[in-house]
Amino acid sequence: MSSTIVSLPDQTTATLPKHTYLNNEYGLKSWLLTRDHKRIGILYLITITFFFFIGGAMAGLVRLELLTPQTDLLAADTYNKVFTMHGIIMIFLFLVPSVPGTLGNFLVPIMVGAKDLAFPKINLLSWYLNTIGGIMVLAALISGGVDTGWTFTTPLSTHYVNTHVITAGLAIFVTGFSSIFTGINIIVTVHRMRAPGMTWFRLPLFIWSNYAASILMVLGTPVLAIALVLVVLERTIGIGVFDPTKGGDPLLFQHLFWFYSHPAVYIMILPGMGVISEVISTFSRKRVFGYTAVAFSSVAIAVFGFLVWEHHMFIMGVSSYSALIFSLLTMLVAVPSAIKIFNWAATLYKGSITFETPMLYAFGFMGLFTIGGLTGVFLGSLGMDVHLTETYFIVAHFHFVMVGGMLMAFLAGIHFWWPKITGRMYPENLSKLAALVTFIGFILTFFPQFILGYLGMPRRYAAYPPEFQVLNVLSTAGATVLGVGYLLPMLYLTWSLKYGKIAGPNPWQATGLEWQIQSPPVVENFLETPVVDYEAYDYEWLANKTRNEVHTVG
Amino acid sequence: MHTFISPVLWQFLVKWLTHFAIFPPEASGIAPYTDALYFYLVAISIFGFVLVVLLVTVFSVLYRKERSPEATQIEGSTLLEATWTIIPLALFMVTFVWGALLYFRIFNPPTNAMNIYVVGKQWMWKAEHPGGQHEINALHIPVGRPVQLTMISQDVFHSFSIPAFRVKREVIPGRYTTVWFEATQPGEYHLFCTQYCGTLHSQMIGTITAMSQQDYEAWTAGSTSGMSLAQNGERLFASLGCNSCHSGDAAARGPNLAQVYGAKLPLSGGGYAMVDDAFLRDSILNPTMHQTAGYAPIMPTYQGQISEEGLIDIVEYIKSLHSNFRIQQTLNTSQVQNAVQEGISGAGHSGEAAAHPASAAQPKVVSQ
């Protein structure tokens, strides 16, 4: 044990560096044809923000319709299209690419001490595929919508709806490749391009969790692609794989779909957990408690994540014995998440804690993800699942993990690395307010849905019995607050691009390699190849380094 | 209070809040078991959440920068990490075992359960009682008696959910699924379709009416359609020509069906199959799927020729078949009638009639 004092640098003397990746080249073409991982990260940030607000508008419509028990704002079929679009856009165009596409792209090479990702052109291609997929989803939306739900359940999607399932299915097929390419890029970069001295156990935990998520992306996404191609083939030429009258099995689709889509929630949440590790460590000025346990828990989640898909199908007439196995494995996958939460809490112990905005979001994450994770145990428990599945309980659980967990982590990360990405600070007081508003809005929106779920209110209902109204009104009211909480960062972060205080290279006094270079970085990231001779989160090393710097300058 | 706000608004609020539900009624034998597990899970969730919040808050206060300017670097602690691996694991294992026991309780019906058939279709529930009572988006059941539902979907996936009973089961196209419950409180409860099934998904709802035994008997007597499912099945059995092969004769081309339900049937490919509802349904639609040993695979498929309700009727008929007496009788009757008809219309169609003895018998089945 040793103690360290880290004092924040004086930002009033900070200046913007002359040469950065932002002013290296100008013009639209220089952005659209860039191979710089940092610029591609920003392209991702723009597209996912765009889709987030479209998906958010859909969520707003859903909540407004549910203000009253009758279908009075939207007709039932419109409602179905709106929630389908909300799901497709938020999952495939926002959550899956959110942290790996933006922060992962920007930070993975810098954190391992490399100039760029292993395959810069494939990286750009993956953004284009993501964008093309997004445009196809929008095309499906504008030309009349899709009403299968984001789960594309057969035989509804193959035989019984007459909407743009093929366009939407192919759109997800295309974005899937974007995800596979990002995954391959991250895996190869972490394996092959680490700087001298950057051993596996000196990697920041952000890298570990993005690496684990990348494995899931590369191994899981092809199965989703197969499932969707089969749906498209079934609709176009009727191959009958999912059609019981032709000897097919409609349940097979769900096996294939959830084989991807359960790991997909870990694809979404793991990178977020990486962000939380960085943020908690930085703002408590302490090495993450039990680094190895946290790193391996990411890998454990990735491995077990592949073996639990059937817990989405406990009531669907699957064999009781297979249900037992899958329930058991579901309980096991909950353990690594619990380990992470307790390790983060223990990191705070004997720290020197400050409460900047990223830390507030990280605390929000810890609270909400704990609820989200524990309610997942409800659903993994066989007998309990029978009553809770397909109700608002599952909607609430999923949103606690994905919105309360992942979105909080994403916002924590965006605020945390904003000075590195743009070279400027965000306005601290306003952003603290936004974090608080988001937290309150979130609880108000989604907590009542747990109660609704236990009451038995089914998900995907445009109309509901009148006794459920009070809770639905609370939820809609919360959604309005939540909307404000998300608009605020959008506005002040844009404002800060021009008017924010200049950040300097290491405004938080964090230990990662990305903080040892100028902000915003130069195109090559490092002026000379860094040699790593210290552990991750080594604040002592940082304190020494800062002291030496002062000496040399003085 | 109501002097401060408009009376209209006051009334609205009162009505709103009196309708306000926060916990579902416990109206089945299962419900208390489910709720017990629920409260256990809620308790460990509160415990976990409070613990995390407490740790974060206490550490934030104790080790905030003003109070603790120096961070003490700590590697980790194997003992602590083992503690917070093993304790959650133990709690989750209890949840697993408890949940598994409940699952088997929910899905293993008692042997004395009365059976009701349910067909789900976009967007309605059709219940068929063995006595021939049909209901749409409603189900009447007696209190204090286990009821099993054998369910099938005619089109897409549906899900049959009664929150007050804490039971739910997916209703799947092409496959029977079952669920059982025993209502404990008379009353009316929600029936929901919980699997998204297309445009009017949210209107695929109904009412479960649990009634006392006497009320239920009165209701059954008052809503019969005159023909039981088995009687409908008998009619279909004859009109589709099933009786010509499944006559029960030693020389018949099809296996004997009397008392076949519940039997263990040897298959031609080796092995045995339990004859249950699903087996019977599959054998009608896809006869070669489980070919009975000793019989040639000559039965044609009836895929697309019988509705799900029709299949239920035939299955119910075969379940009730204890002897071949009535089959023989219908067969004799139809043969006599064939002979009579042939006598009337000349001998021209005799070959055809022999190949499809049932086709001529269709409208003139004499029962009783």
Side-chain angles (χ1 to χ4, degrees):
Chain A
M1 288 195 197
S2 56
S3 54
T4 38
I5 305 180
V6 173
S7 45
L8 291 183
D10 181 14
Q11 279 179 343
T12 50
T13 58
T15 50
L16 277 181
K18 253 192 191 126
H19 298 288
T20 70
Y21 75 101
L22 290 168
N23 63 18
N24 181 48
E25 278 182 289
Y26 292 98
L28 194 62
K29 202 180 143 197
S30 76
W31 280 90
L32 292 182
L33 294 179
T34 184
R35 267 165 272 160
D36 183 350
H37 65 100
K38 299 181 282 303
R39 285 192 169 206
I40 296 169
I42 287 180
L43 290 176
Y44 261 112
L45 182 61
I46 293 167
T47 45
I48 68 164
T49 308
F50 172 74
F51 284 114
F52 173 74
F53 280 99
I54 294 184
M58 299 287 163
L61 284 174
V62 165
R63 282 318 321 167
L64 274 181
E65 163 56 38
L66 294 177
L67 202 53
T68 57
Q70 307 81 22
T71 47
D72 31 24
L73 178 69
L74 306 173
D77 63 331
T78 319
Y79 177 84
N80 297 343
K81 288 173 181 171
V82 167
F83 78 67
T84 301
M85 268 301 150
H86 168 68
I88 292 178
I89 289 179
M90 285 304 201
I91 286 172
F92 296 108
L93 299 171
F94 175 72
L95 285 168
V96 168
S98 61
V99 168
T102 55
L103 297 172
N105 245 327
F106 196 99
L107 295 163
V108 167
I110 310 184
M111 282 182 167
V112 302
K115 274 188 189 169
D116 203 324
L117 283 165
F119 309 112
K121 286 183 187 166
I122 290 182
N123 192 22
L124 182 64
L125 177 64
S126 100
W127 177 75
Y128 273 103
L129 288 176
N130 189 67
T131 311
I132 291 167
I135 291 169
M136 286 168 76
V137 168
L138 289 183
L141 170 69
I142 291 163
S143 58
V146 191
D147 64 347
T148 57
W150 77 275
T151 47
F152 292 93
T153 317
T154 56
L156 181 70
S157 63
T158 50
H159 289 79
Y160 289 89
V161 297
N162 200 15
T163 50
H164 299 269
V165 179
I166 295 180
T167 321
L170 291 177
I172 296 168
F173 182 76
V174 172
T175 51
F177 278 93
S178 149
S179 176
I180 293 172
F181 288 156
T182 305
I184 290 177
N185 237 328
I186 291 179
I187 291 175
V188 176
T189 307
V190 173
H191 271 274
R192 305 291 305 159
M193 298 178 69
R194 282 171 285 129
M198 180 59 94
T199 58
W200 279 91
F201 291 98
R202 281 179 181 169
L203 287 171
L205 289 166
F206 182 80
I207 299 289
W208 274 97
S209 59
N210 271 277
Y211 178 80
S214 299
I215 289 175
L216 290 174
M217 284 189 214
V218 172
L219 296 180
T221 319
V223 180
L224 175 75
I226 292 164
L228 288 171
V229 166
L230 288 174
V231 165
V232 169
L233 288 178
E234 181 101 33
R235 271 186 84 87
T236 46
I237 57 172
I239 54 166
V241 176
F242 304 133
D243 184 355
T245 60
K246 291 180 183 168
D249 181 2
L251 208 55
L252 176 64
F253 172 81
Q254 298 200 26
H255 280 288
L256 292 175
F257 183 83
W258 290 115
F259 184 81
Y260 166 77
S261 294
H262 195 79
V265 303
Y266 300 112
I267 291 177
M268 299 177 226
I269 194 72
L270 273 170
M273 291 170 159
V275 171
I276 300 302
S277 295
E278 301 298 315
V279 169
I280 300 260
S281 163
T282 300
F283 294 103
S284 49
R285 278 91 208 170
K286 260 195 71 207
R287 181 185 159 85
V288 173
F289 189 90
Y291 169 96
T292 358
V294 177
F296 280 123
S297 69
S298 291
V299 180
I301 288 175
V303 172
F304 285 122
F306 267 118
L307 304 172
V308 297
W309 78 90
E310 204 186 272
H311 66 205
H312 295 264
M313 298 153 68
F314 284 158
I315 63 161
M316 299 204 184
V318 294
S319 129
S320 303
Y321 301 102
S322 76
L324 277 179
I325 305 277
F326 279 95
S327 172
L328 182 67
L329 288 165
T330 305
M331 296 299 154
L332 295 184
V333 85
V335 175
S337 304
I339 295 176
K340 276 179 193 278
I341 290 279
F342 285 118
N343 274 307
W344 290 325
T347 304
L348 299 173
Y349 175 71
K350 293 203 173 172
S352 171
I353 305 167
T354 52
F355 303 94
E356 282 84 354
T357 313
M359 193 64 158
L360 296 188
Y361 277 115
F363 285 167
F365 173 98
M366 285 175 70
L368 300 180
F369 182 77
T370 303
I371 300 180
L374 284 166
T375 49
V377 175
F378 285 55
L379 292 160
S381 166
L382 286 166
M384 200 70 250
D385 181 68
V386 174
H387 179 55
L388 295 176
T389 189
E390 299 172 350
T391 68
Y392 261 82
F393 194 93
I394 222 163
V395 176
H397 157 69
F398 185 70
H399 284 84
F400 261 80
V401 178
M402 288 295 123
V403 186
M406 185 56 202
L407 201 53
M408 286 274 175
F410 178 69
L411 286 170
I414 286 292
H415 284 88
F416 183 58
W417 282 292
W418 193 252
K420 184 51 61 184
I421 296 173
T422 65
R424 288 180 185 272
M425 303 298 292
Y426 56 84
E428 190 67 47
N429 290 331
L430 201 52
S431 61
K432 277 183 177 157
L433 177 72
L436 191 68
V437 169
T438 311
F439 187 77
I440 294 170
F442 180 86
I443 294 273
L444 191 54
T445 309
F446 293 105
F447 199 79
Q449 296 185 0
F450 283 125
I451 303 168
L452 277 173
Y454 204 75
L455 282 169
M457 178 168 162
R459 64 196 289 208
R460 299 175 167 177
Y461 262 29
Y464 55 85
E467 71 261 31
F468 299 158
Q469 193 181 7
V470 177
L471 289 164
N472 272 295
V473 169
L474 287 178
S475 183
T476 302
T480 329
V481 179
L482 197 55
V484 174
Y486 292 142
L487 273 174
L488 275 175
M490 167 85 183
L491 298 176
Y492 63 70
L493 287 179
T494 316
W495 172 89
S496 77
L497 285 177
K498 188 141 195 231
Y499 305 102
K501 272 187 287 186
I502 291 163
N506 195 356
W508 312 126
Q509 289 301 294
T511 56
L513 274 181
E514 79 273 27
W515 297 107
Q516 315 314 323
I517 57 174
Q518 66 175 39
S519 352
V522 292
V523 180
E524 298 81 11
N525 298 340
F526 300 97
L527 295 174
E528 53 191 85
T529 309
V531 177
V532 184
D533 52 3
Y534 59 99
E535 304 297 310
Y537 315 110
D538 191 342
Y539 289 90
E540 223 170 311
W541 166 83
L542 186 75
N544 284 334
K545 180 180 171 242
T546 332
R547 210 172 299 128
N548 291 340
E549 269 168 9
V550 173
H551 278 300
T552 44
V553 170
Chain B
M1 185 69 187
H2 57 275
T3 48
F4 298 109
I5 49 177
S6 99
V8 179
L9 189 61
W10 177 249
Q11 292 243 317
F12 177 73
L13 273 175
V14 167
K15 195 180 154 206
W16 204 48
L17 288 167
T18 46
H19 272 99
F20 182 31
I22 198 134
F23 198 77
E26 255 184 3
S28 74
I30 289 292
Y33 292 99
T34 305
D35 291 344
L37 177 55
Y38 180 67
F39 292 132
Y40 164 75
L41 282 161
V42 168
I44 61 170
S45 300
I46 291 174
F47 171 73
F49 180 70
V50 168
L51 185 66
V52 170
V53 170
L54 216 62
L55 285 175
V56 169
T57 318
V58 169
F59 291 160
S60 295
V61 172
L62 288 182
Y63 303 110
R64 63 183 193 276
K65 196 172 182 175
E66 298 81 63
R67 214 169 162 276
S68 156
E70 277 187 48
T72 309
Q73 298 302 326
I74 301 166
E75 276 292 308
S77 152
T78 318
L79 183 68
L80 272 177
E81 280 163 42
T83 313
W84 58 61
T85 306
I86 289 165
I87 292 178
L89 185 66
L91 290 174
F92 297 159
M93 283 302 117
V94 172
T95 313
F96 162 70
V97 173
W98 195 336
L101 292 175
L102 181 63
Y103 185 74
F104 285 99
R105 192 188 281 274
I106 291 175
F107 285 142
N108 284 351
T111 42
N112 62 344
M114 62 179 264
N115 192 55
I116 301 174
Y117 291 93
V118 171
V119 177
K121 51 181 99 175
Q122 285 180 328
W123 290 276
M124 61 157 93
W125 293 108
K126 193 168 173 191
E128 307 214 319
H129 297 254
Q133 297 82 356
H134 301 286
E135 302 182 73
I136 303 281
N137 289 343
L139 181 65
H140 287 76
I141 45 155
V143 161
R145 193 171 160 197
V147 176
Q148 171 172 295
L149 305 181
T150 301
M151 307 184 291
I152 194 155
S153 163
Q154 198 172 297
D155 37 47
V156 301
F157 279 72
H158 301 282
S159 194
F160 190 95
S161 161
I162 312 170
F165 294 173
R166 313 285 190 276
V167 293
K168 181 184 290 136
R169 190 87 195 225
E170 202 78 0
V171 180
I172 299 174
R175 187 188 298 182
Y176 286 121
T177 51
T178 59
V179 68
W180 80 275
F181 45 78
E182 183 180 327
T184 50
Q185 303 288 327
E188 296 202 334
Y189 307 105
H190 288 298
L191 159 63
F192 294 126
C193 171
T194 51
Q195 175 65 271
Y196 175 65
C197 60
T199 309
L200 295 184
H201 169 52
S202 60
Q203 282 160 48
M204 194 163 161
I205 54 177
T207 313
I208 306 291
T209 312
M211 326 162 91
S212 67
Q213 197 67 42
Q214 299 95 308
D215 289 351
Y216 178 71
E217 272 156 24
W219 176 84
T220 322
S223 9
T224 180
S225 59
M227 290 273 264
S228 74
L229 296 185
Q231 283 169 321
N232 278 327
E234 182 169 34
R235 211 155 57 156
L236 269 170
F237 192 79
S239 70
L240 290 166
C242 312
N243 54 5
S244 67
C245 296
H246 298 284
S247 61
D249 282 346
R253 281 175 289 176
N256 178 3
L257 297 183
Q259 295 182 1
V260 76
Y261 185 78
K264 214 170 161 194
L265 212 59
L267 298 181
S268 64
Y272 291 86
M274 255 301 279
V275 179
D276 54 5
D277 300 46
F279 179 92
L280 291 175
R281 183 183 173 279
D282 287 343
S283 302
I284 297 167
L285 296 180
N286 192 1
T288 48
M289 195 165 137
H290 315 285
Q291 185 65 43
T292 312
Y295 291 91
I298 51 165
M299 177 168 159
T301 171
Y302 286 84
Q303 188 89 56
Q305 297 179 44
I306 323 176
S307 66
E308 289 299 345
E309 288 92 338
L311 284 163
I312 286 172
D313 292 340
I314 298 182
V315 167
E316 189 67 13
Y317 171 61
I318 298 174
K319 280 164 82 169
S320 69
L321 207 58
H322 295 298
S323 79
N324 287 308
F325 175 69
R326 284 165 60 88
I327 297 186
Q328 305 267 359
Q329 215 178 22
T330 17
L331 210 55
N332 291 338
T333 316
S334 58
Q335 273 161 4
V336 170
Q337 281 178 343
N338 278 350
V340 172
Q341 273 186 335
E342 276 162 25
I344 293 167
S345 63
H349 302 296
S350 59
E352 216 174 290
H356 302 282
S359 59
Q362 198 161 352
K364 296 200 177 68
V365 177
V366 179
S367 51
Q368 307 298 325

